[in-house]
Amino acid sequence: KNEVEQSPQNLTAQEGEFITINCSYSVGISALHWLQQHPGGGIVSLFMLSSGKKKHGRLIATINIQEKHSSLHITASHPRDSAVYICAVGSGGSNYKLTFGKGTLLTVNP
Amino acid sequence: EAGVTQSPTHLIKTRGQQATLRCSPISGHTSVYWYQQALGLGLQFLLWYDEGEERNRGNFPPRFSGRQFPNYSSELNVNALELEDSALYLCASSLGLAYKETQYFGPGTRLLVL
């Protein structure tokens, strides 16, 4: 079993829809990251959170430490949101490293 | 402010050769991380350097090595290249303590081993 599980693997939505991507992890963590990767390969860090909820524009990330679960929500989705969204958990203290989920491919159609 | 830069953007090598990939972090960032993204395998942690020292390495063989220079730039060396080393290699940097700081990613180097 992978340490970080994302669902769904693929998601197709119509412009304007509300999107939810889920991430479950099995290890103790210092922080959880949500990343966005566009087709060219470049990665942008969207959120880094260790508790509660963060919001940036149309994106919202939540984490439940007790349940070892996080969600990334996109409100009013737009075709430019089409990308791979990757959940990563950071753990290890002085031996810190990120462990990544396999990603969710989101396609938003106009 | 310039972001994380990597060179070269593409690299083609043959099996058994050595590859050297370079990364310049954001100005002021002392930590540099290397990741491998092979087709179908997702991102995997390779190495973490901070203040010139290797702080942690992922589950990769010793032929993957690197170093961090006094100006905090970093080099990843892959010796005795194998076909399965073909991947996108991403570098990231952060301002200090890894578990407290956001990592900023470079555009990557695409390595193709023939």
Side-chain angles (χ1 to χ4, degrees):
Chain A
K1 187 180 188 302
N2 292 329
E3 292 181 348
V4 183
E5 297 276 358
Q6 278 186 244
S7 63
Q9 287 187 329
N10 293 280
L11 182 56
T12 301
Q14 289 300 121
E15 184 173 355
E17 286 185 359
F18 181 83
I19 304 291
T20 295
I21 299 170
N22 296 298
C23 175
S24 296
Y25 54 92
S26 57
V27 297
I29 67 168
S30 301
L32 184 141
H33 303 250
W34 281 103
L35 310 171
Q36 180 192 57
Q37 186 171 32
H38 281 283
I43 290 179
V44 174
S45 180
L46 298 174
F47 295 103
M48 175 179 169
L49 65 166
S50 55
S51 65
K53 175 178 170 178
K54 287 191 176 181
K55 184 175 189 290
H56 185 252
R58 294 180 296 106
L59 274 60
I60 303 166
T62 64
I63 187 169
N64 185 317
I65 297 293
Q66 285 74 29
E67 294 185 5
K68 291 187 166 61
H69 181 268
S70 175
S71 293
L72 175 68
H73 305 287
I74 305 175
T75 62
S77 59
H78 191 276
R80 64 175 175 268
D81 297 326
S82 297
V84 175
Y85 292 82
I86 302 169
C87 170
V89 298
S91 59
S94 59
N95 293 323
Y96 190 83
K97 69 171 189 177
L98 290 182
T99 303
F100 299 85
K102 293 193 181 299
T104 295
L105 174 60
L106 171 65
T107 304
V108 182
N109 295 316
Chain B
E1 181 184 280
V4 177
T5 59
Q6 292 186 244
S7 63
T9 54
H10 292 80
L11 189 57
I12 300 175
K13 294 285 186 178
T14 56
R15 201 168 47 182
Q17 285 189 314
Q18 179 196 42
T20 298
L21 288 64
R22 296 180 177 84
C23 171
S24 291
I26 291 172
S27 178
H29 286 193
T30 60
S31 276
V32 170
Y33 315 83
W34 287 96
Y35 300 98
Q36 183 197 65
Q37 188 174 38
L39 198 61
L41 289 182
L43 279 157
Q44 296 184 80
F45 167 73
L46 255 171
L47 288 159
W48 169 29
Y49 291 96
D50 182 66
E51 297 284 0
E53 301 283 332
E54 182 182 298
R55 301 296 184 183
N56 197 13
R57 65 180 290 129
N59 190 24
F60 282 84
R63 57 190 186 81
F64 286 83
S65 65
R67 53 181 171 167
Q68 187 178 32
F69 299 99
N71 67 353
Y72 302 113
S73 67
S74 177
E75 199 172 84
L76 174 69
N77 294 295
V78 188
N79 294 320
L81 284 165
E82 299 179 3
L83 297 179
E84 53 264 35
D85 296 333
S86 296
L88 177 66
Y89 289 84
L90 290 155
C91 168
S93 73
S94 71
L95 185 66
L97 299 173
Y99 49 88
K100 291 186 179 181
E101 303 290 342
T102 297
Q103 294 185 25
Y104 295 85
F105 287 78
T109 293
R110 290 194 181 275
L111 173 64
L112 177 62
V113 182
L114 301 174

mmCIF file of all heavy atoms in Angstrom, chain A residues 2 5 12 19 21 27 32 36 39 42 45 49-50 59 65 71-73 85 93 97-100:
data_model
loop_
_atom_site.group_PDB
_atom_site.id
_atom_site.type_symbol
_atom_site.label_atom_id
_atom_site.label_comp_id
_atom_site.label_asym_id
_atom_site.label_seq_id
_atom_site.Cartn_x
_atom_site.Cartn_y
_atom_site.Cartn_z
ATOM 1 N N ASN A 2 0.574 2.185 -0.921
ATOM 2 C CA ASN A 2 1.342 3.416 -0.964
ATOM 3 C C ASN A 2 1.104 4.234 0.292
ATOM 4 O O ASN A 2 0.029 4.216 0.880
ATOM 5 C CB ASN A 2 0.947 4.226 -2.200
ATOM 6 C CG ASN A 2 1.388 3.552 -3.474
ATOM 7 O OD1 ASN A 2 2.395 2.855 -3.496
ATOM 8 N ND2 ASN A 2 0.619 3.732 -4.522
ATOM 9 N N GLU A 5 -2.137 8.145 -0.919
ATOM 10 C CA GLU A 5 -3.122 7.718 -1.910
ATOM 11 C C GLU A 5 -3.985 8.906 -2.315
ATOM 12 O O GLU A 5 -4.528 9.607 -1.452
ATOM 13 C CB GLU A 5 -4.029 6.619 -1.332
ATOM 14 C CG GLU A 5 -3.322 5.335 -0.949
ATOM 15 C CD GLU A 5 -3.124 4.402 -2.130
ATOM 16 O OE1 GLU A 5 -3.583 4.739 -3.242
ATOM 17 O OE2 GLU A 5 -2.518 3.340 -1.922
ATOM 18 N N THR A 12 -12.743 14.601 -15.022
ATOM 19 C CA THR A 12 -13.147 15.504 -16.097
ATOM 20 C C THR A 12 -14.350 16.301 -15.618
ATOM 21 O O THR A 12 -15.293 15.729 -15.067
ATOM 22 C CB THR A 12 -13.501 14.725 -17.374
ATOM 23 O OG1 THR A 12 -12.357 13.979 -17.788
ATOM 24 C CG2 THR A 12 -13.906 15.675 -18.488
ATOM 25 N N ILE A 19 -14.814 21.262 -7.831
ATOM 26 C CA ILE A 19 -13.924 20.098 -7.939
ATOM 27 C C ILE A 19 -13.402 19.728 -6.556
ATOM 28 O O ILE A 19 -13.029 20.614 -5.775
ATOM 29 C CB ILE A 19 -12.704 20.434 -8.823
ATOM 30 C CG1 ILE A 19 -13.122 20.924 -10.196
ATOM 31 C CG2 ILE A 19 -11.745 19.245 -8.911
ATOM 32 C CD1 ILE A 19 -13.747 19.883 -11.059
ATOM 33 N N ILE A 21 -10.520 16.973 -4.881
ATOM 34 C CA ILE A 21 -9.500 15.931 -5.007
ATOM 35 C C ILE A 21 -9.096 15.528 -3.590
ATOM 36 O O ILE A 21 -8.891 16.390 -2.735
ATOM 37 C CB ILE A 21 -8.267 16.445 -5.783
ATOM 38 C CG1 ILE A 21 -8.687 16.860 -7.198
ATOM 39 C CG2 ILE A 21 -7.183 15.370 -5.842
ATOM 40 C CD1 ILE A 21 -7.607 17.593 -7.973
ATOM 41 N N VAL A 27 1.336 7.821 7.161
ATOM 42 C CA VAL A 27 2.463 8.089 8.044
ATOM 43 C C VAL A 27 2.219 9.363 8.834
ATOM 44 O O VAL A 27 1.382 10.177 8.461
ATOM 45 C CB VAL A 27 3.773 8.218 7.242
ATOM 46 C CG1 VAL A 27 4.100 6.907 6.542
ATOM 47 C CG2 VAL A 27 3.696 9.352 6.231
ATOM 48 N N LEU A 32 1.624 18.841 4.868
ATOM 49 C CA LEU A 32 1.108 18.263 3.635
ATOM 50 C C LEU A 32 1.127 19.354 2.575
ATOM 51 O O LEU A 32 0.783 20.509 2.846
ATOM 52 C CB LEU A 32 -0.315 17.730 3.841
ATOM 53 C CG LEU A 32 -0.944 17.017 2.647
ATOM 54 C CD1 LEU A 32 -1.758 15.808 3.093
ATOM 55 C CD2 LEU A 32 -1.790 17.952 1.812
ATOM 56 N N GLN A 36 0.777 21.639 -8.206
ATOM 57 C CA GLN A 36 0.129 21.639 -9.519
ATOM 58 C C GLN A 36 1.210 21.473 -10.581
ATOM 59 O O GLN A 36 2.210 22.202 -10.556
ATOM 60 C CB GLN A 36 -0.622 22.952 -9.734
ATOM 61 C CG GLN A 36 -1.349 23.067 -11.067
ATOM 62 C CD GLN A 36 -1.817 24.491 -11.313
ATOM 63 O OE1 GLN A 36 -1.012 25.427 -11.307
ATOM 64 N NE2 GLN A 36 -3.103 24.676 -11.534
ATOM 65 N N PRO A 39 1.311 20.457 -18.232
ATOM 66 C CA PRO A 39 1.859 19.504 -19.204
ATOM 67 C C PRO A 39 3.345 19.684 -19.505
ATOM 68 O O PRO A 39 4.030 18.729 -19.776
ATOM 69 C CB PRO A 39 1.006 19.757 -20.457
ATOM 70 C CG PRO A 39 -0.289 20.251 -19.927
ATOM 71 C CD PRO A 39 0.058 21.060 -18.693
ATOM 72 N N GLY A 42 6.496 21.809 -15.404
ATOM 73 C CA GLY A 42 6.761 22.706 -14.291
ATOM 74 C C GLY A 42 5.802 22.482 -13.136
ATOM 75 O O GLY A 42 4.621 22.216 -13.332
ATOM 76 N N SER A 45 3.921 25.068 -6.246
ATOM 77 C CA SER A 45 3.416 24.717 -4.930
ATOM 78 C C SER A 45 2.175 25.550 -4.646
ATOM 79 O O SER A 45 2.229 26.781 -4.674
ATOM 80 C CB SER A 45 4.486 24.988 -3.873
ATOM 81 O OG SER A 45 4.017 24.650 -2.591
ATOM 82 N N LEU A 49 0.281 22.869 4.358
ATOM 83 C CA LEU A 49 -0.535 23.012 5.563
ATOM 84 C C LEU A 49 -0.303 21.861 6.517
ATOM 85 O O LEU A 49 0.013 20.754 6.112
ATOM 86 C CB LEU A 49 -2.021 23.167 5.220
ATOM 87 C CG LEU A 49 -2.831 22.073 4.568
ATOM 88 C CD1 LEU A 49 -4.324 22.387 4.666
ATOM 89 C CD2 LEU A 49 -2.448 21.843 3.149
ATOM 90 N N SER A 50 -0.430 22.174 7.792
ATOM 91 C CA SER A 50 -0.267 21.154 8.828
ATOM 92 C C SER A 50 -1.514 21.036 9.688
ATOM 93 O O SER A 50 -1.619 20.116 10.507
ATOM 94 C CB SER A 50 0.942 21.469 9.702
ATOM 95 O OG SER A 50 0.834 22.776 10.229
ATOM 96 N N LEU A 59 -9.052 28.333 -4.856
ATOM 97 C CA LEU A 59 -8.558 27.064 -4.312
ATOM 98 C C LEU A 59 -8.645 27.057 -2.793
ATOM 99 O O LEU A 59 -8.325 28.059 -2.143
ATOM 100 C CB LEU A 59 -7.103 26.851 -4.729
ATOM 101 C CG LEU A 59 -6.836 26.191 -6.081
ATOM 102 C CD1 LEU A 59 -7.424 26.976 -7.228
ATOM 103 C CD2 LEU A 59 -5.354 25.977 -6.286
ATOM 104 N N ILE A 65 -5.929 15.973 10.552
ATOM 105 C CA ILE A 65 -4.759 15.223 11.020
ATOM 106 C C ILE A 65 -5.179 13.892 11.651
ATOM 107 O O ILE A 65 -4.528 12.865 11.442
ATOM 108 C CB ILE A 65 -3.953 16.060 12.030
ATOM 109 C CG1 ILE A 65 -3.406 17.320 11.363
ATOM 110 C CG2 ILE A 65 -2.830 15.237 12.651
ATOM 111 C CD1 ILE A 65 -2.355 17.064 10.319
ATOM 112 N N SER A 71 -8.121 17.397 1.525
ATOM 113 C CA SER A 71 -8.856 17.631 0.285
ATOM 114 C C SER A 71 -8.429 18.946 -0.329
ATOM 115 O O SER A 71 -8.110 19.905 0.382
ATOM 116 C CB SER A 71 -10.370 17.673 0.540
ATOM 117 O OG SER A 71 -10.862 16.427 0.946
ATOM 118 N N LEU A 72 -8.418 18.959 -1.661
ATOM 119 C CA LEU A 72 -8.193 20.179 -2.418
ATOM 120 C C LEU A 72 -9.475 20.462 -3.194
ATOM 121 O O LEU A 72 -9.968 19.594 -3.915
ATOM 122 C CB LEU A 72 -7.026 20.016 -3.389
ATOM 123 C CG LEU A 72 -6.761 21.195 -4.318
ATOM 124 C CD1 LEU A 72 -6.248 22.398 -3.521
ATOM 125 C CD2 LEU A 72 -5.747 20.824 -5.401
ATOM 126 N N HIS A 73 -10.010 21.645 -2.989
ATOM 127 C CA HIS A 73 -11.237 22.039 -3.671
ATOM 128 C C HIS A 73 -10.942 23.179 -4.642
ATOM 129 O O HIS A 73 -10.142 24.068 -4.330
ATOM 130 C CB HIS A 73 -12.288 22.527 -2.664
ATOM 131 C CG HIS A 73 -12.599 21.553 -1.576
ATOM 132 N ND1 HIS A 73 -13.335 20.406 -1.783
ATOM 133 C CD2 HIS A 73 -12.249 21.554 -0.261
ATOM 134 C CE1 HIS A 73 -13.452 19.748 -0.647
ATOM 135 N NE2 HIS A 73 -12.810 20.417 0.295
ATOM 136 N N TYR A 85 -2.681 17.424 -10.326
ATOM 137 C CA TYR A 85 -2.590 17.904 -8.944
ATOM 138 C C TYR A 85 -1.997 16.787 -8.090
ATOM 139 O O TYR A 85 -2.479 15.650 -8.108
ATOM 140 C CB TYR A 85 -3.964 18.345 -8.434
ATOM 141 C CG TYR A 85 -4.439 19.578 -9.140
ATOM 142 C CD1 TYR A 85 -5.055 19.492 -10.387
ATOM 143 C CD2 TYR A 85 -4.211 20.843 -8.614
ATOM 144 C CE1 TYR A 85 -5.461 20.632 -11.081
ATOM 145 C CE2 TYR A 85 -4.607 21.994 -9.296
ATOM 146 C CZ TYR A 85 -5.233 21.869 -10.520
ATOM 147 O OH TYR A 85 -5.615 23.008 -11.203
ATOM 148 N N GLY A 93 11.411 14.872 10.222
ATOM 149 C CA GLY A 93 12.185 15.771 11.072
ATOM 150 C C GLY A 93 13.508 16.141 10.437
ATOM 151 O O GLY A 93 13.568 16.709 9.355
ATOM 152 N N LYS A 97 11.759 14.455 4.262
ATOM 153 C CA LYS A 97 11.602 14.216 2.844
ATOM 154 C C LYS A 97 10.127 14.278 2.495
ATOM 155 O O LYS A 97 9.255 14.119 3.351
ATOM 156 C CB LYS A 97 12.174 12.857 2.439
ATOM 157 C CG LYS A 97 11.388 11.672 2.962
ATOM 158 C CD LYS A 97 11.879 10.378 2.336
ATOM 159 C CE LYS A 97 10.958 9.229 2.699
ATOM 160 N NZ LYS A 97 11.381 7.968 2.033
ATOM 161 N N LEU A 98 9.858 14.520 1.219
ATOM 162 C CA LEU A 98 8.495 14.503 0.710
ATOM 163 C C LEU A 98 8.212 13.154 0.072
ATOM 164 O O LEU A 98 9.050 12.620 -0.657
ATOM 165 C CB LEU A 98 8.281 15.597 -0.331
ATOM 166 C CG LEU A 98 8.259 17.054 0.150
ATOM 167 C CD1 LEU A 98 7.980 17.988 -1.020
ATOM 168 C CD2 LEU A 98 7.241 17.252 1.242
ATOM 169 N N THR A 99 7.034 12.618 0.372
ATOM 170 C CA THR A 99 6.539 11.414 -0.288
ATOM 171 C C THR A 99 5.293 11.820 -1.064
ATOM 172 O O THR A 99 4.390 12.448 -0.503
ATOM 173 C CB THR A 99 6.197 10.317 0.731
ATOM 174 O OG1 THR A 99 7.357 10.039 1.521
ATOM 175 C CG2 THR A 99 5.754 9.049 0.023
ATOM 176 N N PHE A 100 5.256 11.431 -2.335
ATOM 177 C CA PHE A 100 4.245 11.957 -3.240
ATOM 178 C C PHE A 100 3.166 10.943 -3.567
ATOM 179 O O PHE A 100 3.426 9.746 -3.664
ATOM 180 C CB PHE A 100 4.911 12.388 -4.557
ATOM 181 C CG PHE A 100 5.934 13.464 -4.403
ATOM 182 C CD1 PHE A 100 7.242 13.156 -4.074
ATOM 183 C CD2 PHE A 100 5.590 14.788 -4.602
ATOM 184 C CE1 PHE A 100 8.196 14.148 -3.930
ATOM 185 C CE2 PHE A 100 6.543 15.792 -4.469
ATOM 186 C CZ PHE A 100 7.840 15.476 -4.128
#
